[in-house]
Amino acid sequence: TLELIAMEIIQHAGDGRHNVLEALDLLTAFDFRSANEKLSVAYTEIKKAHEAQTKAIQAVAGEEIAEEYSILLTHAQDTLMTIYSEYNISLKLTTIIEAMDSRIARLEEGNHV
């Protein structure tokens, strides 16, 4: 049913968010390797959520599921989009902070850039 698929989307998206938030915590500690690992796990979860969403859309379009509207599916899609945005922003923040940290390290070593 759409409700089960929606719950699958929410579960994977939520797991993705959890890993994004852990990555941001690691980023504040300048642990870039671990932060990037968490972002990789987050992406895997987001991808699973997106695959479930695609399954739902195909099931409705193919009339395998005869439900017209599910507020739970709408919530799941909204959750997925929000978390995917958080993931993308976290990727960009990681790149920016890594570059700043590298620049500061070079300045501290006396190698002006």
Side-chain angles (χ1 to χ4, degrees):
T1 68
L2 278 182
E3 285 74 23
L4 290 176
I5 296 171
M7 291 306 297
E8 183 180 353
I9 295 167
I10 292 167
Q11 174 191 349
H12 288 298
D15 289 346
R17 174 177 274 161
H18 176 77
N19 281 283
V20 165
L21 294 175
E22 284 188 351
L24 290 172
D25 287 341
L26 291 162
L27 192 57
T28 63
F30 300 97
D31 185 349
F32 301 118
R33 184 188 57 77
S34 297
N36 282 312
E37 287 173 2
K38 289 292 181 178
L39 288 173
S40 179
V41 172
Y43 179 77
T44 299
E45 291 299 324
I46 290 166
K47 185 176 176 186
K48 288 177 184 177
H50 187 263
E51 289 167 354
Q53 175 183 321
T54 300
K55 179 172 57 176
I57 292 168
Q58 289 173 339
V60 171
E63 298 181 7
E64 297 165 23
I65 296 177
E67 299 179 42
E68 292 181 20
Y69 177 76
S70 167
I71 195 158
L72 188 59
L73 181 60
T74 301
H75 169 66
Q77 290 175 306
D78 180 54
T79 300
L80 174 56
M81 287 186 342
T82 301
I83 293 165
Y84 193 50
S85 293
E86 292 171 357
Y87 166 79
N88 284 322
I89 291 168
S90 297
L91 280 180
K92 186 54 82 175
L93 278 172
T94 300
T95 301
I96 292 167
I97 293 171
E98 281 182 295
M100 290 175 62
D101 186 58
S102 176
R103 182 175 170 93
I104 290 167
R106 288 192 308 269
L107 289 170
E108 288 175 339
E109 293 171 0
N111 300 324
H112 301 301
V113 180

